[in-house]
Amino acid sequence: QIIVSTAIRQAQGFHCRELPRMYRSGGLDRHPPVYSVGCQEAGSKLRSKSYLFLLIVVVLGVISGVIYSKKSYNLGLDVKGGVRITYQMDTSQLNADQRKDLSGVRERLQTLLQQRASGGLGVAEPLVAAKGEDQFIVELPGFTDVQRAKDVMGKSARIEFYWARNLTTELSPNRPYTEINSKNPNDPVVTFQRTGGLGNEIKPGTPEYERIIKGWELILSGDELVKASALMQGDSYIPSLLFGGKGPKAMEDFTRRTLNQREKLAAVLDKRVVSIAAVERGAILSDNAIITGKFSTEYVTTLVNTLNSGALPVDLKELSTVQVSPTIGAEALKQIVAAGIVAFGVIALYLVAYYAFPGFVALIALLLYVLFTLSVLKAIGATFSLASVAGFILSVGMAVDANILVFERFKEEMRAGRSLHSAIELGFRRALPAIIDSNACTILTSLVLAQLGTGPVKGFATTLIIGVVISLFTAVTVTRSLLMFFVGSGIATNEKWYALNRNWFGKRFAVDAQPLKVIEKAKRWFSISALTVAVCIPFFFLGGFKLNVEFSGGFEAVYKVAQSSSSPAVFTAALEKSGFKGSNVKFGDGGKRVYVTVPQAEKLKAATTDKERLQIIATAAGLQNAEPIEFSSISPTLQQETIKNALLGVLISSALIIFYLAIRFGTGFGGMAAGLRFGVSAIGALVHDIFVVIGLAAVVGFFEGWEVSALFLTAMLTIIGFSVHDTIVIFDRIRENLRHPEGHESFTHLVDRSITQSFARSINTSGTVIVTLLILVFFGTTTPELKFFVLAMLTGIASGTYSSI
């Protein structure tokens, strides 16, 4: 027999009751004294490592705290308010050299747009991001004048001077057209009329307007412009232009040819005539010119700044415009942050209540996770949109998952008689494959979102990716380091602190319980799934599945009203009656905000400003005394791209997950063919979850008028990543049990045993996220779109937990 000394009992490397077991297996029968010394040395090394780990965690915390305090939040448009415009290059205008150097043209264009946003509009932190090969997204936080933003950002700023040969003059009164000067100093566009007053006024954008300009002779273009400036004239300003290159000679030749004939000189800016004036008798023009007319100071200043920033190398086509009220964003941010704090508190209580001391350690790690993530997001200048904030709150709920997987494994090892130190090491080691695989799938789907999405969608994906990576670090490194420190220093060696026998699901779902009969009752589970989807099918045929302007194209206007006594159906009927077929109306903020979606219509296309369009929509809907606060427009081009990206997102994400799981689970189990069975099975569960969420969209669309948007697509792809997360937890246990089967058990029994062993952790991991989303649905979302986004994720994750099991 061996006598275990007090020194060995106190050593932290092994639990004392483990020694007899090791002795019986032959581990201590030869050199007991050497083992005694080695055990003491192990305890000493563990304590040294514990203090080192703690030091690293403290240093990282201090660095993160400094970064957090020094950097400010970069708030998104939906929080801060502002304008987002998406442009597409008209590449048909590019010459052969420009086509060869398309990347150079894009870079120059991006630089010019950035200069216009900061110089021309005075926006402090504008964002101009290239998208694809020919698109740009311009975000102007805090800027609310949509029309001015369009005038400055979208115009090519190519100023051209023409000899207007087909306009009447003093000496030639019989020419076909006569100009009509604008009376609006903020929009000095010149229109035309046929001589003699025949026909309607000819406005910009019409074929005849373009034919009139084509009948003129070009004298000089913006390529010769050296500088533009504002010249004082009376009590206002007019634009003054200085030309160089071949421009001065071309202007001089024209005035000498037409000397004393009072011919008209037209200034054309982006295919719109802004000024027409007759050349004075005896005047010879050369290197400078002025644009005459009655202009507002703001117009002249904007024009001069735009011209000086340089002409765009190619025309831009406006694909979408979004205007967001800062008031709504501030209220929504306050509400979603409050909900996030409540969700964090609930998660904290759950961790401590269910896992006792390890839960307390996980809570410390979770606080560090929040600090680390916010610091990184601030450091890289990430945009905090409402969707990004929701993504961050969701990532907090997901960050707990890795801890839960570890703690459940740790408890198994402790029940098997391991020492605290051994149980911690084995718990982390055996939970690590499932943690890595599940988070890798979430990162894969988020990368697809970041690539295909724009604006809030990209921000959500970026936040989620960073959150997942940091949660891996905090769970695997920080939680482990803290536990090692507390155990190694002798602070937390009492087994009662670890709630080893705590199980809220009863003995039936314990790890060592008789396996649940899951596979044998497959027909029951498939019937429940089929019934769930079948209940939603009628709502598709009743028009419940509604697409918003991002998928259908058109306009969305948001109005602030007093508490509405009418239902959305009343306003929708009024719009239909006014000719806006396919319109939709929904309420937000308890009926104080009305969201109106209308398709592309000639009435709206004919309007020249968004203000006019807002008024037309309000009148058609019968909204009295409504205050317009937001406006969005989506062109058919962007609509088609959004639909394509939605399909690509689901297909690419599914393919990546199948491929990843085939490699990870095929290794050691028959190669890729066996691995593909795991991957395809996981996708089968995903298809189930997608059908359930799409069914939800039809139901809430029918009853609430909620529409499928790009954020809904974001929810779908997030669900794909998270549903696989639960599936992998079970697959990982199946993989482990395949290596160590019980005697000659059948595959059915092995799978049932794996599900039973994983049941508690599957429910716990999903439960933290579901509780977080429930709090967001009821207390943290103000807009219908954001509420639908969170509700879709809630439904999908709950469905994913069921389908995985």
Side-chain angles (χ1 to χ4, degrees), residues 352-678:
V352 175
Y354 193 76
Y355 291 107
F357 183 73
F360 171 72
V361 173
L363 177 57
I364 296 174
L366 200 59
L367 287 167
L368 287 170
Y369 164 79
V370 171
L371 177 61
F372 293 161
T373 306
L374 290 177
S375 299
V376 170
L377 290 171
K378 278 187 168 186
I380 66 173
T383 301
F384 286 84
S385 64
L386 292 177
S388 298
V389 176
F392 171 69
I393 294 170
L394 175 64
S395 74
V396 173
M398 293 172 68
V400 182
D401 294 355
N403 288 304
I404 290 173
L405 294 176
V406 169
F407 293 161
E408 290 291 336
R409 276 302 183 125
F410 162 78
K411 287 163 74 172
E412 281 186 48
E413 301 301 331
M414 286 294 292
R415 293 190 196 106
R418 306 284 185 186
S419 69
L420 279 174
H421 174 236
S422 297
I424 292 171
E425 287 286 4
L426 287 171
F428 276 95
R429 188 187 310 160
R430 291 177 175 173
L432 191 59
I435 294 171
I436 292 174
D437 291 341
S438 59
N439 284 287
C441 289
T442 301
I443 290 173
L444 286 174
T445 54
S446 297
L447 285 172
V448 173
L449 266 177
Q451 183 64 32
L452 298 178
T454 59
V457 174
K458 191 182 288 288
F460 173 86
T462 303
T463 303
L464 203 56
I465 291 170
I466 292 171
V468 167
V469 172
I470 294 176
S471 72
L472 271 171
F473 171 77
T474 54
V476 175
T477 304
V478 177
T479 305
R480 182 179 180 277
S481 301
L482 289 171
L483 275 174
M484 287 294 190
F485 166 74
F486 286 119
V487 172
S489 61
I491 295 173
T493 56
N494 190 337
E495 290 185 8
K496 292 180 180 179
W497 291 14
Y498 294 85
L500 298 180
N501 297 315
R502 190 165 296 166
N503 183 3
W504 290 351
F505 304 100
K507 292 183 178 180
R508 188 182 178 191
F509 299 103
V511 173
D512 55 353
Q514 283 297 315
L516 300 169
K517 302 294 183 183
V518 177
I519 305 301
E520 292 88 336
K521 298 178 181 178
K523 290 181 180 179
R524 176 189 296 179
W525 315 129
F526 286 131
S527 298
I528 292 172
S529 296
L531 183 62
T532 303
V533 176
V535 168
C536 303
I537 290 175
F539 295 99
F540 279 91
F541 297 101
L542 294 172
F545 193 77
K546 303 178 188 297
L547 300 174
N548 85 334
V549 292
E550 291 168 288
F551 288 97
S552 61
F555 304 89
E556 183 178 70
V558 184
Y559 301 91
K560 186 176 181 180
V561 297
Q563 190 72 37
S564 179
S565 57
S566 301
S567 67
V570 173
F571 296 119
T572 303
L575 286 163
E576 296 276 347
K577 190 176 180 181
S578 299
F580 293 102
K581 302 295 182 183
S583 299
N584 183 55
V585 177
K586 53 186 181 287
F587 286 168
D589 194 20
K592 294 179 182 178
R593 293 195 190 107
V594 182
Y595 296 76
V596 183
T597 303
V598 295
Q600 297 280 355
E602 291 303 323
K603 292 180 183 179
L604 297 175
K605 290 179 183 178
T608 57
T609 66
D610 290 337
K611 189 176 180 180
E612 290 179 33
R613 295 185 183 100
L614 283 163
Q615 186 57 52
I616 291 171
I617 294 171
T619 303
L623 288 165
Q624 304 298 328
N625 302 318
E627 176 191 348
I629 50 179
E630 288 187 19
F631 183 76
S632 305
S633 67
I634 303 291
S635 72
T637 304
L638 197 61
Q639 164 219 342
Q640 293 165 10
E641 182 183 325
T642 305
I643 294 172
K644 182 188 76 173
N645 286 348
L647 295 173
L648 278 176
V650 173
L651 292 175
I652 293 173
S653 296
S654 300
L656 286 173
I657 288 170
I658 290 176
F659 184 69
Y660 180 84
L661 294 182
I663 293 174
R664 288 289 290 157
F665 287 91
T667 306
F669 289 105
M672 286 290 287
L676 281 171
R677 287 196 285 275
F678 280 99

Side-chain angles (χ1 to χ4, degrees), residues 27-38:
L28 303 177
D29 57 344
R30 295 183 180 178
H31 305 289
V34 175
Y35 173 77
S36 175
V37 174

Side-chain angles (χ1 to χ4, degrees), residues 266-305:
V268 180
L269 181 67
D270 297 331
K271 299 179 182 179
R272 288 161 60 97
V273 183
V274 295
S275 173
I276 291 181
V279 179
E280 296 292 337
R281 293 181 185 276
I284 302 293
L285 304 178
S286 180
D287 61 351
N288 62 76
I290 59 172
I291 301 177
T292 60
K294 189 68 176 176
F295 309 121
S296 68
T297 302
E298 183 182 39
Y299 175 83
V300 174
T301 302
T302 300
L303 177 62
V304 167
N305 288 336

